[in-house]
Amino acid sequence: HTIESIPGIVDINDGLVVAGPSIRIRTNVFRAARAGLTPRGLATEVQTDILGTVSSYVLKGDRRYDVRVLAPSAVHRNEKSLGSLPIRSNAGASITLQDVATVDREPGMLELHREDLRQLVAVSARFSGVDLGHGIKAIQQKLAKDSAIPPEASIEYGGLYQQQQESFRNLAIVLVLAILLVFGVLLIEFRRFAEPIAIVIGSVLSLSGAVIAFWLTGTTLNIISLLGAIIGLGITAKNGILMLDYVEHLRVWGVPLVDSLIQSGARRLRPVLMTSMTAFLGLLPLAYGVGAGADMLRPMAVAVIGSLFMSMIMSLLATPLCFYMLVRHLQATAPAEGSAEK
């Protein structure tokens, strides 16, 4: 009942399963003994009248059908008629069930479910008009203020929320591995640390474009949008490679570092704009949700487009700036290390 007042939560199931109600027959041992009945014999008589006893069988073709003898359904239709159920004792006396037993109705009892030797109550609900993350956060805040929950009770959140958190953790590992793999490929290509570090820093900073795109379009952070961010990371690293690869050629020809960065930015601006705009126009219909099933892939397109827009700025500003600072730092520390060795 605590979460019923939270907006957007519908179809709440408290997880309580009631077994019953049931009817219990209590034998009066003394009365049954005077009638020549034992509790076991009385139970057998009642079971025979209600459920019946197989007394014979009938063959029909190659099939065998049992013949079950039981009392008419009107005799045990309800609690009152069950008390007047005729019973024949071993001594031949004809009595009713209420003469030797009492018929009581008991209310239903809750079923107890356990998991890992702990009692478990699974409460489920559905969200309407609110995303999974904000809905779970509202529930957590509401339950944290509920004083009716005993302190020894523990609350665990499962279902789709648990699957989402596990997927987010796995995708975070994939994102870290993607960064490491991109860095490894760049290290093999350039054979130095300055260029790979600058390109990876620019690529990671370009992910802020995906966050801004989510905020502008109202897209929630989900598994598909995280996949788009990972794809955008790999695409944006390409712009940094185009930029610093030409810087390397200019420096081989003897062009100073600052002039190399400026000339490379002017030379590579057109390819970066062409490749980014091509990818942007190709993903634009998907970002608008055009076509069947496009709504599911729309967050991925928004993430890639946001990363591409930000990468155009990062590849022309952030990546060259990081590269310039790293090279200056290496040049400043190289003489000091050489004098120390001497």
Side-chain angles (χ1 to χ4, degrees):
H1 301 287
T2 303
I3 64 177
E4 287 181 347
S5 59
I6 301 176
I9 298 182
V10 296
D11 298 340
I12 301 175
N13 182 13
D14 56 11
L16 301 178
V17 180
V18 179
S22 60
I23 295 178
R24 175 170 292 186
I25 301 174
R26 301 178 184 272
T27 304
N28 190 319
V29 180
F30 298 103
R31 292 183 181 179
R34 284 198 295 266
L37 287 173
T38 62
R40 181 182 294 274
L42 180 62
T44 303
E45 289 287 339
V46 174
Q47 182 177 359
T48 300
D49 290 338
I50 297 177
L51 301 179
T53 301
V54 178
S55 61
S56 182
Y57 63 90
V58 175
L59 292 177
K60 189 175 182 181
D62 58 345
R63 293 182 176 271
R64 170 179 168 173
Y65 298 90
D66 294 331
V67 177
R68 184 176 295 272
V69 179
L70 69 162
S73 59
V75 178
H76 49 81
R77 181 174 299 172
N78 50 45
E79 181 181 354
K80 184 177 180 181
S81 61
L82 186 61
S84 59
L85 184 69
I87 302 294
R88 182 172 295 276
S89 66
N90 296 332
S94 181
I95 57 178
T96 60
L97 181 62
Q98 62 186 0
D99 294 333
V100 293
T102 57
V103 181
D104 300 326
R105 177 183 292 269
E106 292 187 351
M109 301 180 66
L110 292 176
E111 293 184 0
L112 295 179
H113 299 272
R114 295 185 180 275
E115 182 176 327
D116 296 333
L117 301 180
R118 296 183 303 170
Q119 187 174 341
L120 172 67
V121 177
V123 180
S124 61
R126 187 173 59 86
F127 295 110
S128 177
V130 63
D131 59 273
L132 183 61
H134 287 85
I136 292 294
K137 185 177 181 180
I139 292 175
Q140 291 173 344
Q141 294 176 351
K142 193 75 172 181
L143 294 179
K145 301 177 182 178
D146 190 4
S147 58
I149 300 177
E152 64 273 7
S154 61
I155 301 176
E156 298 179 1
Y157 298 91
L160 293 178
Y161 177 74
Q162 183 182 11
Q163 297 178 9
Q164 182 197 61
Q165 296 303 306
E166 293 177 354
S167 300
F168 280 174
R169 285 193 294 267
N170 294 334
L171 287 177
I173 296 174
V174 171
L175 180 60
V176 174
L177 291 177
I179 295 174
L180 294 177
L181 291 174
V182 170
F183 182 80
V185 172
L186 295 175
L187 190 62
I188 296 173
E189 179 181 354
F190 289 100
R191 297 183 298 277
R192 290 186 302 182
F193 283 96
E195 289 87 347
I197 292 176
I199 294 174
V200 168
I201 290 176
S203 300
V204 173
L205 291 177
S206 66
L207 294 180
S208 60
V211 177
I212 296 174
F214 292 154
W215 178 68
L216 292 176
T217 58
T219 305
T220 59
L221 185 64
N222 50 42
I223 298 174
I224 303 299
S225 58
L226 283 179
L227 285 175
I230 295 174
I231 296 173
L233 178 69
I235 296 176
T236 54
K238 170 260 307 175
N239 294 336
I241 296 174
L242 291 175
M243 177 73 181
L244 296 186
D245 182 65
Y246 192 63
V247 171
E248 181 67 19
H249 287 289
L250 292 176
R251 293 186 68 191
V252 171
W253 295 339
V255 180
L257 177 61
V258 176
D259 294 338
S260 299
L261 293 173
I262 295 174
Q263 294 182 28
S264 177
R267 182 69 178 269
R268 296 305 190 188
L269 176 60
R270 185 178 179 182
V272 168
L273 289 177
M274 290 178 61
T275 56
S276 299
M277 291 302 298
T278 302
F280 164 72
L281 294 177
L283 291 173
L284 192 60
L286 188 61
Y288 270 104
V290 178
D295 288 339
M296 184 180 67
L297 298 178
R298 179 176 176 271
M300 182 180 66
V302 171
V304 175
I305 290 175
S307 300
L308 288 175
F309 267 102
M310 188 60 65
S311 71
M312 290 189 294
I313 300 174
M314 294 300 173
S315 61
L316 299 176
L317 294 178
T319 300
L321 181 60
C322 292
F323 179 71
Y324 175 79
M325 295 175 63
L326 288 171
V327 172
R328 286 302 185 189
H329 176 72
L330 293 175
Q331 290 176 353
T333 56
E337 292 177 357
S339 62
E341 291 177 0
K342 292 180 181 179

